[in-house]
Amino acid sequence: MEKLDLIQTFVEVVRAGSFTAAARSLSMPRSTVSSHIRTLESALGTRLLKRSTRSLSLTDDGQMLFSQAEGGLQTLITAMEMVRSNSDELRGLIRLTAPADFPTEMIAAPMTRFRQAHPAVRFDVVLSNSALDLIRDNVDIALRMGVRGDLDRVERKLAPVHWQFCASPEWVDRNGATTNLADITDFISPSVDLRSFLERFVLAGRKLPTGAITADNQLMIRDLAVSGAGVALLPLGLCDKLIKAGHLLQLLQDIPTAAASLNLAFPSRADISPPVRAFADALVAQFR
């Protein structure tokens, strides 16, 4: 802002025709006007004004700077005033990412309400099971499961996620309600990274059976379990309605499972702008 002030003072001196008139226009002491011009000339390494006690004129460099700065300065000042006048209005783009199999209604509902309250805010949503780099991929908010991996990013707990072993009634009729994890031959396994996370943090070190089918999408794993393909370890939020409706049965309930944490992740504290912070609050309220 300091260099902008210097250029603004220079432009006003030229317009007003004297240091004294410019000082009156800018509501600052004449000595400050003189100091601004000296500082600007020193920073640019050239004389901008030829001046005496009675008159001043522009040097060639001064004329070049004035011709380029006058219109651009006014445009910049106008833009800054527009931003300042709208400082209480949330605006701008929020780029959000979540797993491809995340229940989208949990994002869509608060996003719709937020846009209705703040129509100047826009969203770009990327659903992917590949963990995007929050900095390189320009992500504002990421919904992530589990333990923080990047020490530089900021996380906010959103909700606990409970896990449940499930199978269809048809599968249980064929194979029995097994009580031993090692006895399961028709296990529907998640991808390697999620499998490792579940074994370490949800199952306290217990190993999952070898996968008869492996999939990287929890919705696909759930639908395979419903169709009778085998046993799956699913987030309770994806299977509780199916359990209540009798389409899935709970298995291995004697095996203790720990809840994993669903978090909101941000690239850094400095990247949590007012719109991002407000929408994060809306997401937390939705999950509560």
mmCIF file of all heavy atoms in Angstrom, residues 115-164:
data_model
loop_
_atom_site.group_PDB
_atom_site.id
_atom_site.type_symbol
_atom_site.label_atom_id
_atom_site.label_comp_id
_atom_site.label_asym_id
_atom_site.label_seq_id
_atom_site.Cartn_x
_atom_site.Cartn_y
_atom_site.Cartn_z
ATOM 1 N N ARG A 115 -25.821 -21.282 -0.501
ATOM 2 C CA ARG A 115 -25.935 -20.464 -1.713
ATOM 3 C C ARG A 115 -27.162 -19.562 -1.656
ATOM 4 O O ARG A 115 -27.131 -18.441 -2.162
ATOM 5 C CB ARG A 115 -26.024 -21.378 -2.929
ATOM 6 C CG ARG A 115 -24.702 -21.969 -3.363
ATOM 7 C CD ARG A 115 -23.988 -21.086 -4.373
ATOM 8 N NE ARG A 115 -24.828 -20.862 -5.514
ATOM 9 C CZ ARG A 115 -25.125 -19.673 -6.036
ATOM 10 N NH1 ARG A 115 -24.642 -18.574 -5.487
ATOM 11 N NH2 ARG A 115 -25.892 -19.554 -7.086
ATOM 12 N N GLN A 116 -28.224 -20.044 -1.049
ATOM 13 C CA GLN A 116 -29.419 -19.203 -0.921
ATOM 14 C C GLN A 116 -29.150 -18.010 -0.018
ATOM 15 O O GLN A 116 -29.654 -16.908 -0.263
ATOM 16 C CB GLN A 116 -30.586 -20.042 -0.381
ATOM 17 C CG GLN A 116 -31.109 -21.059 -1.390
ATOM 18 C CD GLN A 116 -32.078 -22.046 -0.775
ATOM 19 O OE1 GLN A 116 -32.208 -22.135 0.452
ATOM 20 N NE2 GLN A 116 -32.776 -22.814 -1.611
ATOM 21 N N ALA A 117 -28.352 -18.215 1.021
ATOM 22 C CA ALA A 117 -28.022 -17.122 1.939
ATOM 23 C C ALA A 117 -26.914 -16.236 1.401
ATOM 24 O O ALA A 117 -26.856 -15.043 1.713
ATOM 25 C CB ALA A 117 -27.612 -17.697 3.305
ATOM 26 N N HIS A 118 -26.024 -16.795 0.573
ATOM 27 C CA HIS A 118 -24.855 -16.058 0.055
ATOM 28 C C HIS A 118 -24.727 -16.320 -1.445
ATOM 29 O O HIS A 118 -23.862 -17.084 -1.884
ATOM 30 C CB HIS A 118 -23.585 -16.491 0.787
ATOM 31 C CG HIS A 118 -23.691 -16.450 2.283
ATOM 32 N ND1 HIS A 118 -23.702 -15.263 3.001
ATOM 33 C CD2 HIS A 118 -23.814 -17.445 3.200
ATOM 34 C CE1 HIS A 118 -23.815 -15.540 4.286
ATOM 35 N NE2 HIS A 118 -23.887 -16.845 4.434
ATOM 36 N N PRO A 119 -25.576 -15.697 -2.249
ATOM 37 C CA PRO A 119 -25.594 -15.995 -3.694
ATOM 38 C C PRO A 119 -24.319 -15.608 -4.434
ATOM 39 O O PRO A 119 -24.120 -16.064 -5.571
ATOM 40 C CB PRO A 119 -26.798 -15.185 -4.197
ATOM 41 C CG PRO A 119 -27.022 -14.128 -3.159
ATOM 42 C CD PRO A 119 -26.619 -14.736 -1.860
ATOM 43 N N ALA A 120 -23.459 -14.785 -3.838
ATOM 44 C CA ALA A 120 -22.207 -14.401 -4.514
ATOM 45 C C ALA A 120 -21.112 -15.449 -4.331
ATOM 46 O O ALA A 120 -20.027 -15.301 -4.881
ATOM 47 C CB ALA A 120 -21.722 -13.045 -3.998
ATOM 48 N N VAL A 121 -21.383 -16.490 -3.550
ATOM 49 C CA VAL A 121 -20.416 -17.576 -3.369
ATOM 50 C C VAL A 121 -20.686 -18.656 -4.411
ATOM 51 O O VAL A 121 -21.834 -19.040 -4.647
ATOM 52 C CB VAL A 121 -20.512 -18.177 -1.944
ATOM 53 C CG1 VAL A 121 -19.632 -19.421 -1.827
ATOM 54 C CG2 VAL A 121 -20.098 -17.139 -0.912
ATOM 55 N N ARG A 122 -19.612 -19.140 -5.048
ATOM 56 C CA ARG A 122 -19.711 -20.221 -6.026
ATOM 57 C C ARG A 122 -18.959 -21.444 -5.491
ATOM 58 O O ARG A 122 -18.076 -21.311 -4.650
ATOM 59 C CB ARG A 122 -19.115 -19.783 -7.368
ATOM 60 C CG ARG A 122 -19.868 -18.626 -8.023
ATOM 61 C CD ARG A 122 -19.130 -18.095 -9.244
ATOM 62 N NE ARG A 122 -17.882 -17.455 -8.882
ATOM 63 C CZ ARG A 122 -16.683 -17.832 -9.296
ATOM 64 N NH1 ARG A 122 -16.561 -18.899 -10.085
ATOM 65 N NH2 ARG A 122 -15.598 -17.183 -8.939
ATOM 66 N N PHE A 123 -19.301 -22.630 -6.002
ATOM 67 C CA PHE A 123 -18.671 -23.872 -5.559
ATOM 68 C C PHE A 123 -18.133 -24.658 -6.747
ATOM 69 O O PHE A 123 -18.732 -24.662 -7.828
ATOM 70 C CB PHE A 123 -19.672 -24.753 -4.799
ATOM 71 C CG PHE A 123 -19.980 -24.281 -3.408
ATOM 72 C CD1 PHE A 123 -21.062 -23.444 -3.172
ATOM 73 C CD2 PHE A 123 -19.192 -24.662 -2.340
ATOM 74 C CE1 PHE A 123 -21.359 -23.002 -1.895
ATOM 75 C CE2 PHE A 123 -19.475 -24.229 -1.054
ATOM 76 C CZ PHE A 123 -20.557 -23.395 -0.828
ATOM 77 N N ASP A 124 -17.023 -25.311 -6.520
ATOM 78 C CA ASP A 124 -16.477 -26.292 -7.464
ATOM 79 C C ASP A 124 -16.231 -27.558 -6.648
ATOM 80 O O ASP A 124 -15.376 -27.573 -5.764
ATOM 81 C CB ASP A 124 -15.175 -25.763 -8.074
ATOM 82 C CG ASP A 124 -14.586 -26.728 -9.099
ATOM 83 O OD1 ASP A 124 -15.239 -27.749 -9.399
ATOM 84 O OD2 ASP A 124 -13.477 -26.475 -9.592
ATOM 85 N N VAL A 125 -17.011 -28.607 -6.931
ATOM 86 C CA VAL A 125 -16.965 -29.840 -6.138
ATOM 87 C C VAL A 125 -16.280 -30.940 -6.943
ATOM 88 O O VAL A 125 -16.655 -31.199 -8.089
ATOM 89 C CB VAL A 125 -18.381 -30.294 -5.731
ATOM 90 C CG1 VAL A 125 -18.306 -31.565 -4.886
ATOM 91 C CG2 VAL A 125 -19.100 -29.180 -4.972
ATOM 92 N N VAL A 126 -15.287 -31.569 -6.338
ATOM 93 C CA VAL A 126 -14.575 -32.686 -6.971
ATOM 94 C C VAL A 126 -14.731 -33.906 -6.067
ATOM 95 O O VAL A 126 -14.242 -33.909 -4.933
ATOM 96 C CB VAL A 126 -13.079 -32.370 -7.174
ATOM 97 C CG1 VAL A 126 -12.368 -33.571 -7.777
ATOM 98 C CG2 VAL A 126 -12.905 -31.141 -8.058
ATOM 99 N N LEU A 127 -15.419 -34.934 -6.553
ATOM 100 C CA LEU A 127 -15.573 -36.187 -5.818
ATOM 101 C C LEU A 127 -14.578 -37.187 -6.391
ATOM 102 O O LEU A 127 -14.667 -37.558 -7.570
ATOM 103 C CB LEU A 127 -17.003 -36.713 -5.945
ATOM 104 C CG LEU A 127 -18.103 -35.794 -5.404
ATOM 105 C CD1 LEU A 127 -19.471 -36.439 -5.602
ATOM 106 C CD2 LEU A 127 -17.880 -35.473 -3.933
ATOM 107 N N SER A 128 -13.643 -37.611 -5.564
ATOM 108 C CA SER A 128 -12.581 -38.497 -6.040
ATOM 109 C C SER A 128 -12.025 -39.306 -4.888
ATOM 110 O O SER A 128 -11.853 -38.790 -3.776
ATOM 111 C CB SER A 128 -11.460 -37.672 -6.686
ATOM 112 O OG SER A 128 -10.351 -38.490 -7.009
ATOM 113 N N ASN A 129 -11.723 -40.572 -5.164
ATOM 114 C CA ASN A 129 -11.083 -41.396 -4.150
ATOM 115 C C ASN A 129 -9.564 -41.232 -4.164
ATOM 116 O O ASN A 129 -8.871 -41.822 -3.347
ATOM 117 C CB ASN A 129 -11.456 -42.869 -4.338
ATOM 118 C CG ASN A 129 -12.859 -43.163 -3.848
ATOM 119 O OD1 ASN A 129 -13.381 -42.464 -2.989
ATOM 120 N ND2 ASN A 129 -13.492 -44.174 -4.401
ATOM 121 N N SER A 130 -9.066 -40.444 -5.091
ATOM 122 C CA SER A 130 -7.651 -40.061 -5.073
ATOM 123 C C SER A 130 -7.513 -38.839 -4.173
ATOM 124 O O SER A 130 -8.250 -37.859 -4.329
ATOM 125 C CB SER A 130 -7.165 -39.722 -6.481
ATOM 126 O OG SER A 130 -7.267 -40.848 -7.327
ATOM 127 N N ALA A 131 -6.577 -38.895 -3.227
ATOM 128 C CA ALA A 131 -6.400 -37.778 -2.295
ATOM 129 C C ALA A 131 -5.713 -36.620 -3.017
ATOM 130 O O ALA A 131 -4.520 -36.687 -3.329
ATOM 131 C CB ALA A 131 -5.569 -38.229 -1.094
ATOM 132 N N LEU A 132 -6.471 -35.579 -3.307
ATOM 133 C CA LEU A 132 -5.908 -34.423 -3.995
ATOM 134 C C LEU A 132 -4.935 -33.689 -3.082
ATOM 135 O O LEU A 132 -5.117 -33.659 -1.861
ATOM 136 C CB LEU A 132 -7.022 -33.467 -4.436
ATOM 137 C CG LEU A 132 -8.089 -34.032 -5.382
ATOM 138 C CD1 LEU A 132 -9.044 -32.924 -5.798
ATOM 139 C CD2 LEU A 132 -7.463 -34.665 -6.607
ATOM 140 N N ASP A 133 -3.915 -33.106 -3.677
ATOM 141 C CA ASP A 133 -2.990 -32.263 -2.937
ATOM 142 C C ASP A 133 -3.671 -30.908 -2.701
ATOM 143 O O ASP A 133 -4.041 -30.221 -3.658
ATOM 144 C CB ASP A 133 -1.694 -32.074 -3.730
ATOM 145 C CG ASP A 133 -0.649 -31.299 -2.960
ATOM 146 O OD1 ASP A 133 -0.804 -30.054 -2.825
ATOM 147 O OD2 ASP A 133 0.321 -31.909 -2.486
ATOM 148 N N LEU A 134 -3.839 -30.545 -1.439
ATOM 149 C CA LEU A 134 -4.639 -29.354 -1.132
ATOM 150 C C LEU A 134 -4.029 -28.083 -1.697
ATOM 151 O O LEU A 134 -4.752 -27.153 -2.064
ATOM 152 C CB LEU A 134 -4.814 -29.228 0.387
ATOM 153 C CG LEU A 134 -5.470 -30.411 1.104
ATOM 154 C CD1 LEU A 134 -5.778 -30.050 2.553
ATOM 155 C CD2 LEU A 134 -6.733 -30.861 0.387
ATOM 156 N N ILE A 135 -2.697 -28.033 -1.765
ATOM 157 C CA ILE A 135 -2.032 -26.838 -2.303
ATOM 158 C C ILE A 135 -1.975 -26.895 -3.820
ATOM 159 O O ILE A 135 -2.438 -25.984 -4.518
ATOM 160 C CB ILE A 135 -0.607 -26.705 -1.723
ATOM 161 C CG1 ILE A 135 -0.659 -26.570 -0.195
ATOM 162 C CG2 ILE A 135 0.100 -25.506 -2.352
ATOM 163 C CD1 ILE A 135 -1.317 -25.320 0.296
ATOM 164 N N ARG A 136 -1.394 -27.961 -4.357
ATOM 165 C CA ARG A 136 -1.196 -28.046 -5.806
ATOM 166 C C ARG A 136 -2.511 -28.040 -6.571
ATOM 167 O O ARG A 136 -2.616 -27.442 -7.646
ATOM 168 C CB ARG A 136 -0.391 -29.301 -6.145
ATOM 169 C CG ARG A 136 0.002 -29.393 -7.630
ATOM 170 C CD ARG A 136 0.829 -30.630 -7.931
ATOM 171 N NE ARG A 136 0.079 -31.855 -7.677
ATOM 172 C CZ ARG A 136 0.391 -32.723 -6.718
ATOM 173 N NH1 ARG A 136 1.429 -32.494 -5.924
ATOM 174 N NH2 ARG A 136 -0.323 -33.824 -6.553
ATOM 175 N N ASP A 137 -3.539 -28.698 -6.009
ATOM 176 C CA ASP A 137 -4.833 -28.773 -6.693
ATOM 177 C C ASP A 137 -5.793 -27.669 -6.274
ATOM 178 O O ASP A 137 -6.972 -27.710 -6.620
ATOM 179 C CB ASP A 137 -5.471 -30.138 -6.437
ATOM 180 C CG ASP A 137 -4.663 -31.278 -7.058
ATOM 181 O OD1 ASP A 137 -4.347 -31.172 -8.250
ATOM 182 O OD2 ASP A 137 -4.336 -32.234 -6.349
ATOM 183 N N ASN A 138 -5.291 -26.710 -5.497
ATOM 184 C CA ASN A 138 -6.061 -25.510 -5.147
ATOM 185 C C ASN A 138 -7.384 -25.855 -4.468
ATOM 186 O O ASN A 138 -8.456 -25.375 -4.841
ATOM 187 C CB ASN A 138 -6.317 -24.659 -6.404
ATOM 188 C CG ASN A 138 -6.816 -23.267 -6.069
ATOM 189 O OD1 ASN A 138 -6.542 -22.744 -4.985
ATOM 190 N ND2 ASN A 138 -7.548 -22.664 -6.982
ATOM 191 N N VAL A 139 -7.297 -26.706 -3.447
ATOM 192 C CA VAL A 139 -8.478 -27.141 -2.701
ATOM 193 C C VAL A 139 -8.651 -26.268 -1.461
ATOM 194 O O VAL A 139 -7.690 -26.030 -0.730
ATOM 195 C CB VAL A 139 -8.348 -28.621 -2.285
ATOM 196 C CG1 VAL A 139 -9.499 -29.034 -1.380
ATOM 197 C CG2 VAL A 139 -8.287 -29.504 -3.527
ATOM 198 N N ASP A 140 -9.866 -25.798 -1.219
ATOM 199 C CA ASP A 140 -10.154 -24.994 -0.030
ATOM 200 C C ASP A 140 -10.582 -25.862 1.151
ATOM 201 O O ASP A 140 -10.196 -25.601 2.288
ATOM 202 C CB ASP A 140 -11.253 -23.965 -0.338
ATOM 203 C CG ASP A 140 -10.820 -22.951 -1.379
ATOM 204 O OD1 ASP A 140 -9.783 -22.300 -1.161
ATOM 205 O OD2 ASP A 140 -11.512 -22.814 -2.399
ATOM 206 N N ILE A 141 -11.428 -26.862 0.886
ATOM 207 C CA ILE A 141 -11.923 -27.763 1.938
ATOM 208 C C ILE A 141 -11.907 -29.188 1.400
ATOM 209 O O ILE A 141 -12.382 -29.435 0.287
ATOM 210 C CB ILE A 141 -13.367 -27.428 2.372
ATOM 211 C CG1 ILE A 141 -13.506 -25.961 2.807
ATOM 212 C CG2 ILE A 141 -13.822 -28.337 3.499
ATOM 213 C CD1 ILE A 141 -14.932 -25.575 3.174
ATOM 214 N N ALA A 142 -11.363 -30.100 2.185
ATOM 215 C CA ALA A 142 -11.390 -31.515 1.815
ATOM 216 C C ALA A 142 -12.020 -32.309 2.949
ATOM 217 O O ALA A 142 -11.702 -32.091 4.122
ATOM 218 C CB ALA A 142 -9.980 -32.028 1.545
ATOM 219 N N LEU A 143 -12.940 -33.206 2.616
ATOM 220 C CA LEU A 143 -13.485 -34.137 3.606
ATOM 221 C C LEU A 143 -12.602 -35.372 3.591
ATOM 222 O O LEU A 143 -12.497 -36.057 2.561
ATOM 223 C CB LEU A 143 -14.933 -34.510 3.281
ATOM 224 C CG LEU A 143 -15.986 -33.490 3.733
ATOM 225 C CD1 LEU A 143 -16.034 -32.298 2.794
ATOM 226 C CD2 LEU A 143 -17.362 -34.136 3.798
ATOM 227 N N ARG A 144 -11.940 -35.630 4.709
ATOM 228 C CA ARG A 144 -10.954 -36.706 4.786
ATOM 229 C C ARG A 144 -11.240 -37.595 5.985
ATOM 230 O O ARG A 144 -11.647 -37.120 7.041
ATOM 231 C CB ARG A 144 -9.541 -36.124 4.901
ATOM 232 C CG ARG A 144 -9.082 -35.340 3.662
ATOM 233 C CD ARG A 144 -8.518 -36.266 2.623
ATOM 234 N NE ARG A 144 -8.290 -35.610 1.345
ATOM 235 C CZ ARG A 144 -7.174 -34.954 1.040
ATOM 236 N NH1 ARG A 144 -6.217 -34.830 1.925
ATOM 237 N NH2 ARG A 144 -7.033 -34.439 -0.169
ATOM 238 N N MET A 145 -10.947 -38.866 5.809
ATOM 239 C CA MET A 145 -11.113 -39.834 6.880
ATOM 240 C C MET A 145 -9.776 -40.077 7.549
ATOM 241 O O MET A 145 -8.746 -40.192 6.884
ATOM 242 C CB MET A 145 -11.643 -41.158 6.318
ATOM 243 C CG MET A 145 -11.910 -42.228 7.366
ATOM 244 S SD MET A 145 -13.417 -41.928 8.274
ATOM 245 C CE MET A 145 -14.616 -42.233 6.972
ATOM 246 N N GLY A 146 -9.811 -40.154 8.872
ATOM 247 C CA GLY A 146 -8.665 -40.705 9.570
ATOM 248 C C GLY A 146 -7.673 -39.727 10.110
ATOM 249 O O GLY A 146 -7.956 -38.558 10.333
ATOM 250 N N VAL A 147 -6.465 -40.236 10.299
ATOM 251 C CA VAL A 147 -5.409 -39.524 10.996
ATOM 252 C C VAL A 147 -4.734 -38.552 10.053
ATOM 253 O O VAL A 147 -4.496 -38.827 8.892
ATOM 254 C CB VAL A 147 -4.372 -40.520 11.543
ATOM 255 C CG1 VAL A 147 -3.230 -39.798 12.225
ATOM 256 C CG2 VAL A 147 -5.043 -41.480 12.518
ATOM 257 N N ARG A 148 -4.428 -37.405 10.559
ATOM 258 C CA ARG A 148 -3.789 -36.367 9.785
ATOM 259 C C ARG A 148 -2.430 -36.837 9.282
ATOM 260 O O ARG A 148 -1.591 -37.300 10.036
ATOM 261 C CB ARG A 148 -3.639 -35.137 10.678
ATOM 262 C CG ARG A 148 -2.882 -33.979 10.078
ATOM 263 C CD ARG A 148 -3.061 -32.804 10.997
ATOM 264 N NE ARG A 148 -1.883 -31.985 11.058
ATOM 265 C CZ ARG A 148 -1.755 -30.953 11.866
ATOM 266 N NH1 ARG A 148 -2.721 -30.674 12.704
ATOM 267 N NH2 ARG A 148 -0.678 -30.229 11.868
ATOM 268 N N GLY A 149 -2.209 -36.682 7.973
ATOM 269 C CA GLY A 149 -0.938 -37.115 7.401
ATOM 270 C C GLY A 149 0.000 -35.963 7.124
ATOM 271 O O GLY A 149 1.207 -36.095 7.224
ATOM 272 N N ASP A 150 -0.527 -34.817 6.760
ATOM 273 C CA ASP A 150 0.290 -33.652 6.428
ATOM 274 C C ASP A 150 0.292 -32.711 7.627
ATOM 275 O O ASP A 150 -0.728 -32.148 7.993
ATOM 276 C CB ASP A 150 -0.299 -32.956 5.201
ATOM 277 C CG ASP A 150 0.561 -31.793 4.723
ATOM 278 O OD1 ASP A 150 1.456 -31.380 5.477
ATOM 279 O OD2 ASP A 150 0.330 -31.318 3.599
ATOM 280 N N LEU A 151 1.451 -32.533 8.223
ATOM 281 C CA LEU A 151 1.519 -31.740 9.450
ATOM 282 C C LEU A 151 1.231 -30.266 9.200
ATOM 283 O O LEU A 151 0.947 -29.523 10.135
ATOM 284 C CB LEU A 151 2.908 -31.912 10.088
ATOM 285 C CG LEU A 151 3.225 -33.325 10.595
ATOM 286 C CD1 LEU A 151 4.634 -33.358 11.178
ATOM 287 C CD2 LEU A 151 2.211 -33.785 11.628
ATOM 288 N N ASP A 152 1.324 -29.829 7.945
ATOM 289 C CA ASP A 152 1.128 -28.407 7.655
ATOM 290 C C ASP A 152 -0.344 -28.044 7.508
ATOM 291 O O ASP A 152 -0.716 -26.889 7.649
ATOM 292 C CB ASP A 152 1.870 -28.024 6.363
ATOM 293 C CG ASP A 152 3.371 -28.079 6.544
ATOM 294 O OD1 ASP A 152 3.813 -27.849 7.683
ATOM 295 O OD2 ASP A 152 4.087 -28.371 5.582
ATOM 296 N N ARG A 153 -1.167 -29.012 7.178
ATOM 297 C CA ARG A 153 -2.558 -28.666 6.938
ATOM 298 C C ARG A 153 -3.318 -28.558 8.265
ATOM 299 O O ARG A 153 -2.914 -29.082 9.295
ATOM 300 C CB ARG A 153 -3.208 -29.682 6.003
ATOM 301 C CG ARG A 153 -3.626 -30.986 6.640
ATOM 302 C CD ARG A 153 -4.158 -31.954 5.596
ATOM 303 N NE ARG A 153 -4.774 -33.109 6.216
ATOM 304 C CZ ARG A 153 -4.795 -34.314 5.681
ATOM 305 N NH1 ARG A 153 -4.200 -34.513 4.525
ATOM 306 N NH2 ARG A 153 -5.393 -35.323 6.300
ATOM 307 N N VAL A 154 -4.449 -27.884 8.188
ATOM 308 C CA VAL A 154 -5.295 -27.670 9.361
ATOM 309 C C VAL A 154 -6.498 -28.588 9.247
ATOM 310 O O VAL A 154 -7.090 -28.730 8.172
ATOM 311 C CB VAL A 154 -5.749 -26.195 9.426
ATOM 312 C CG1 VAL A 154 -6.686 -25.974 10.591
ATOM 313 C CG2 VAL A 154 -4.532 -25.280 9.522
ATOM 314 N N GLU A 155 -6.886 -29.227 10.347
ATOM 315 C CA GLU A 155 -8.030 -30.123 10.329
ATOM 316 C C GLU A 155 -9.035 -29.738 11.408
ATOM 317 O O GLU A 155 -8.665 -29.220 12.458
ATOM 318 C CB GLU A 155 -7.596 -31.579 10.516
ATOM 319 C CG GLU A 155 -6.872 -32.137 9.297
ATOM 320 C CD GLU A 155 -6.646 -33.626 9.400
ATOM 321 O OE1 GLU A 155 -6.813 -34.187 10.506
ATOM 322 O OE2 GLU A 155 -6.306 -34.240 8.368
ATOM 323 N N ARG A 156 -10.289 -30.009 11.113
ATOM 324 C CA ARG A 156 -11.380 -29.764 12.050
ATOM 325 C C ARG A 156 -12.269 -31.013 12.067
ATOM 326 O O ARG A 156 -12.729 -31.465 11.015
ATOM 327 C CB ARG A 156 -12.182 -28.542 11.603
ATOM 328 C CG ARG A 156 -13.362 -28.185 12.502
ATOM 329 C CD ARG A 156 -14.007 -26.913 12.001
ATOM 330 N NE ARG A 156 -15.170 -26.567 12.805
ATOM 331 C CZ ARG A 156 -15.975 -25.532 12.556
ATOM 332 N NH1 ARG A 156 -15.722 -24.730 11.531
ATOM 333 N NH2 ARG A 156 -17.007 -25.282 13.333
ATOM 334 N N LYS A 157 -12.489 -31.574 13.238
ATOM 335 C CA LYS A 157 -13.293 -32.780 13.330
ATOM 336 C C LYS A 157 -14.731 -32.499 12.923
ATOM 337 O O LYS A 157 -15.336 -31.528 13.357
ATOM 338 C CB LYS A 157 -13.239 -33.338 14.748
ATOM 339 C CG LYS A 157 -11.900 -33.974 15.093
ATOM 340 C CD LYS A 157 -11.942 -34.654 16.449
ATOM 341 C CE LYS A 157 -10.605 -35.334 16.746
ATOM 342 N NZ LYS A 157 -10.625 -36.034 18.064
ATOM 343 N N LEU A 158 -15.251 -33.392 12.084
ATOM 344 C CA LEU A 158 -16.608 -33.215 11.579
ATOM 345 C C LEU A 158 -17.579 -34.189 12.240
ATOM 346 O O LEU A 158 -18.634 -33.798 12.747
ATOM 347 C CB LEU A 158 -16.626 -33.410 10.062
ATOM 348 C CG LEU A 158 -17.921 -33.070 9.327
ATOM 349 C CD1 LEU A 158 -18.289 -31.608 9.547
ATOM 350 C CD2 LEU A 158 -17.757 -33.339 7.839
ATOM 351 N N ALA A 159 -17.216 -35.477 12.234
ATOM 352 C CA ALA A 159 -18.121 -36.475 12.811
ATOM 353 C C ALA A 159 -17.379 -37.792 12.996
ATOM 354 O O ALA A 159 -16.455 -38.092 12.238
ATOM 355 C CB ALA A 159 -19.330 -36.693 11.910
ATOM 356 N N PRO A 160 -17.783 -38.604 13.989
ATOM 357 C CA PRO A 160 -17.227 -39.960 14.097
ATOM 358 C C PRO A 160 -17.911 -40.872 13.080
ATOM 359 O O PRO A 160 -19.096 -40.724 12.783
ATOM 360 C CB PRO A 160 -17.579 -40.363 15.529
ATOM 361 C CG PRO A 160 -18.816 -39.591 15.843
ATOM 362 C CD PRO A 160 -18.713 -38.288 15.084
ATOM 363 N N VAL A 161 -17.145 -41.796 12.524
ATOM 364 C CA VAL A 161 -17.696 -42.760 11.565
ATOM 365 C C VAL A 161 -17.537 -44.156 12.158
ATOM 366 O O VAL A 161 -16.412 -44.623 12.376
ATOM 367 C CB VAL A 161 -16.978 -42.675 10.206
ATOM 368 C CG1 VAL A 161 -17.543 -43.718 9.245
ATOM 369 C CG2 VAL A 161 -17.127 -41.279 9.619
ATOM 370 N N HIS A 162 -18.656 -44.810 12.430
ATOM 371 C CA HIS A 162 -18.660 -46.156 12.988
ATOM 372 C C HIS A 162 -18.741 -47.173 11.844
ATOM 373 O O HIS A 162 -19.384 -46.924 10.822
ATOM 374 C CB HIS A 162 -19.837 -46.329 13.944
ATOM 375 C CG HIS A 162 -19.802 -45.384 15.100
ATOM 376 N ND1 HIS A 162 -19.113 -45.636 16.260
ATOM 377 C CD2 HIS A 162 -20.369 -44.156 15.264
ATOM 378 C CE1 HIS A 162 -19.248 -44.627 17.095
ATOM 379 N NE2 HIS A 162 -20.001 -43.707 16.517
ATOM 380 N N TRP A 163 -18.100 -48.331 12.043
ATOM 381 C CA TRP A 163 -18.017 -49.357 11.000
ATOM 382 C C TRP A 163 -18.697 -50.643 11.470
ATOM 383 O O TRP A 163 -18.672 -50.963 12.656
ATOM 384 C CB TRP A 163 -16.559 -49.619 10.641
ATOM 385 C CG TRP A 163 -15.901 -48.428 10.007
ATOM 386 C CD1 TRP A 163 -15.481 -47.287 10.631
ATOM 387 C CD2 TRP A 163 -15.631 -48.245 8.625
ATOM 388 N NE1 TRP A 163 -14.957 -46.398 9.714
ATOM 389 C CE2 TRP A 163 -15.036 -46.965 8.472
ATOM 390 C CE3 TRP A 163 -15.821 -49.028 7.485
ATOM 391 C CZ2 TRP A 163 -14.628 -46.466 7.238
ATOM 392 C CZ3 TRP A 163 -15.414 -48.533 6.247
ATOM 393 C CH2 TRP A 163 -14.837 -47.264 6.143
ATOM 394 N N GLN A 164 -19.276 -51.378 10.520
ATOM 395 C CA GLN A 164 -20.030 -52.580 10.855
ATOM 396 C C GLN A 164 -19.814 -53.655 9.781
ATOM 397 O O GLN A 164 -19.874 -53.373 8.583
ATOM 398 C CB GLN A 164 -21.528 -52.239 10.943
ATOM 399 C CG GLN A 164 -22.418 -53.428 11.195
ATOM 400 C CD GLN A 164 -22.136 -54.073 12.544
ATOM 401 O OE1 GLN A 164 -22.196 -53.402 13.571
ATOM 402 N NE2 GLN A 164 -21.810 -55.359 12.546
#
